[in-house]
Amino acid sequence: MKTIKGPAVFLAQFVDSKAPFNSLDGMCKWAAGLGYKGIQIPTWETFLIDLDKAGSTDETEGQAYCDELKEKVASYGLEITELSTHLQGQLVAVHPAYDIMFDNFAPDTYKNNPKARTEWAVDQVKKAAVASRRLGLKVHATFSGSLLWHTAHPWPQRPAGLVEMGFEELAKRWKPILDSYDENDVDVCYEIHPGEDLHDGDTFERFLEATNNHKRVNILYDPSHFVLQQLDYITYIDHYHEFIKSFHVKDSEFNPTGKKGAFGGFNDWRDRAGRYRSLGDGQVDFKTIFTKLTEYGCDVWAVMEWECCIKSPEQGAREGAPFIQSHIIEATEKAFDDFAGAEIDNEKLKRILGQ
């Protein structure tokens, strides 16, 4: 068994144009003051990390930049848990139906040019591999992107072979990236998420097979998304614990009515049957989740990802650190009944067995 590290916080949802949320120093001081021990850094926020510098081809300059970044974070009593390329990873694979909306995730230079946008995204995710190595990180958080999500509900019916071809293409785009992560000894943890082609267990397995079981393909486990899908998020750990190397602690709830269910009726988040909540306000059984992850020895940081349509981010952040801390289990190194034990005595054992 292994004790989960934490609490940590994903900074993405707290970024703002106002202090302290507009600088790395400000966010580090804020997070440490609330009791967090780690931060997950979104790499698209250039004031938090300059990915071009961190992943530079100049090893000396790139390492110097990463050393300085790591030291700055450490000066606040924090560790970097992972770098995140969720937005860039999303752009590795975008179906044309989503081109206009996903252009918002790319710099202006690459908008209205899907090919150039994809090339930029691939380069960004590869640079994050180099940056992760230089920062001493072993895992990386990202999205898979999606070529097939618009066919999730098969109407019109999917032509035979479409899903297989889609995953082959997704794997083709990711294999060079995965090889780059292998060269840098960093695991890629895909957040299993609605809207992505990797959104449950079956789709993760399809992708793993399509990549020829690439050893860098792993999972960022977030139970909140499974509640909205009505997937058994506890048994999921039993199936995939060996791949779970990153962990978002996010809460959610699912309250279907006679008018709406999993698809949500095109409503805003507040009016949907499935919605994300601040930690402790939803339905996720974190007590069992932390127990399972500890039992299986999952070497992860417990990183709060805050999303809630009711509670303020300020309150959510304040409550998040103690909530996570209260769920972290210090893995025992001894059995509770050790006091009753004794050294092995073969003759005594034989007598007990009646021999």
Side-chain angles (χ1 to χ4, degrees):
M1 296 191 294
K2 199 170 187 69
T3 300
I4 293 171
K5 299 183 288 288
V9 58
F10 187 25
L11 298 181
Q13 283 81 11
F14 298 97
V15 168
D16 197 279
S17 59
K18 299 176 182 178
F21 307 108
N22 57 357
S23 70
L24 179 60
D25 284 290
M27 296 201 82
C28 284
K29 184 177 181 180
W30 164 79
L34 292 176
Y36 292 101
K37 299 176 183 178
I39 54 172
Q40 188 178 83
I41 298 179
T43 59
W44 57 89
E45 300 291 355
T46 55
F47 73 85
L48 294 175
I49 182 172
D50 186 328
L51 201 51
D52 290 333
K53 289 183 179 179
S56 167
T57 54
D58 188 317
E59 185 67 27
T60 301
E61 290 185 6
Q63 187 62 61
Y65 174 82
C66 287
D67 288 343
E68 182 180 346
L69 178 68
K70 188 175 180 179
E71 287 172 9
K72 177 179 286 192
V73 173
S75 71
Y76 292 94
L78 298 169
E79 293 183 46
I80 301 172
T81 64
E82 297 99 355
L83 299 181
S84 155
T85 57
H86 280 79
L87 299 193
Q88 301 99 315
Q90 178 73 65
L91 299 182
V92 169
V94 176
H95 187 275
Y98 298 99
D99 270 336
I100 294 175
M101 290 186 287
F102 278 138
D103 260 355
N104 292 331
F105 294 168
D108 290 342
T109 307
Y110 304 104
K111 292 179 179 177
N112 299 312
N113 189 339
K115 185 175 184 296
R117 184 186 64 200
T118 299
E119 291 173 352
W120 169 81
V122 169
D123 180 64
Q124 285 279 293
V125 181
K126 284 184 175 181
K127 283 177 177 174
V130 177
S132 294
R133 169 177 58 80
R134 290 171 176 165
L135 288 166
L137 305 175
K138 291 296 185 181
V139 294
H140 178 74
T142 195
F143 274 149
S144 67
S146 175
L147 302 172
L148 291 166
W149 178 252
H150 64 294
T151 72
H153 189 78
W155 178 255
Q157 61 268 42
R158 288 188 297 255
L162 178 67
V163 173
E164 291 74 13
M165 182 178 290
F167 275 94
E168 286 174 9
E169 176 61 26
L170 189 66
K172 179 181 176 182
R173 297 189 188 196
W174 274 101
K175 277 183 180 178
I177 302 173
L178 290 166
D179 289 342
S180 176
Y181 276 81
D182 194 32
E183 291 167 7
N184 287 281
D185 193 25
V186 179
D187 287 319
V188 179
C189 296
Y190 295 97
E191 182 166 1
I192 310 301
H193 191 291
E196 307 303 311
D197 280 346
L198 277 63
H199 56 267
D200 59 14
D202 285 349
T203 52
F204 174 75
E205 291 183 18
R206 284 181 183 272
F207 181 71
L208 186 63
E209 182 180 3
T211 62
N212 295 317
N213 295 302
H214 201 292
K215 68 178 183 179
R216 296 301 173 180
V217 175
N218 288 281
I219 290 172
L220 190 169
Y221 174 76
D222 183 335
S224 68
H225 307 303
F226 297 152
V227 171
L228 270 58
Q229 295 182 61
Q230 292 295 279
L231 184 153
D232 184 345
Y233 57 85
I234 299 297
T235 305
Y236 191 94
I237 298 174
D238 294 326
H239 288 304
Y240 303 111
H241 58 88
E242 64 186 291
F243 296 101
I244 296 174
K245 298 185 179 179
S246 189
F247 175 29
H248 272 177
V249 187
K250 191 171 78 173
D251 213 341
S252 64
E253 62 185 0
F254 185 71
N255 299 306
T257 71
K259 292 186 176 182
K260 56 199 171 190
F263 297 124
F266 295 111
N267 288 305
D268 293 334
W269 280 112
R270 191 179 66 178
D271 297 320
R272 296 175 72 91
R275 56 187 189 175
Y276 300 118
R277 298 298 308 277
S278 205
L279 287 185
D281 295 344
Q283 299 168 347
V284 175
D285 181 2
F286 286 109
K287 191 172 184 178
T288 301
I289 288 172
F290 275 80
T291 298
K292 284 271 188 184
L293 294 176
T294 302
E295 284 180 314
Y296 281 121
C298 295
D299 188 9
V300 294
W301 275 90
V303 181
M304 183 188 75
E305 183 183 19
W306 178 88
E307 289 180 353
C308 186
C309 53
I310 299 175
K311 184 173 286 184
S312 73
E314 292 81 7
Q315 183 179 1
R318 289 195 306 269
E319 295 174 348
F323 181 91
I324 291 174
Q325 188 63 60
S326 70
H327 281 80
I328 291 176
I329 299 168
E330 296 179 12
T332 183
E333 295 181 357
K334 61 182 294 185
F336 68 86
D337 55 356
D338 276 352
F339 71 91
E343 292 188 10
I344 295 176
D345 182 335
N346 287 329
E347 292 304 315
K348 183 177 181 180
L349 296 179
K350 288 178 181 179
R351 291 198 304 273
I352 292 173
L353 292 174
Q355 297 181 10

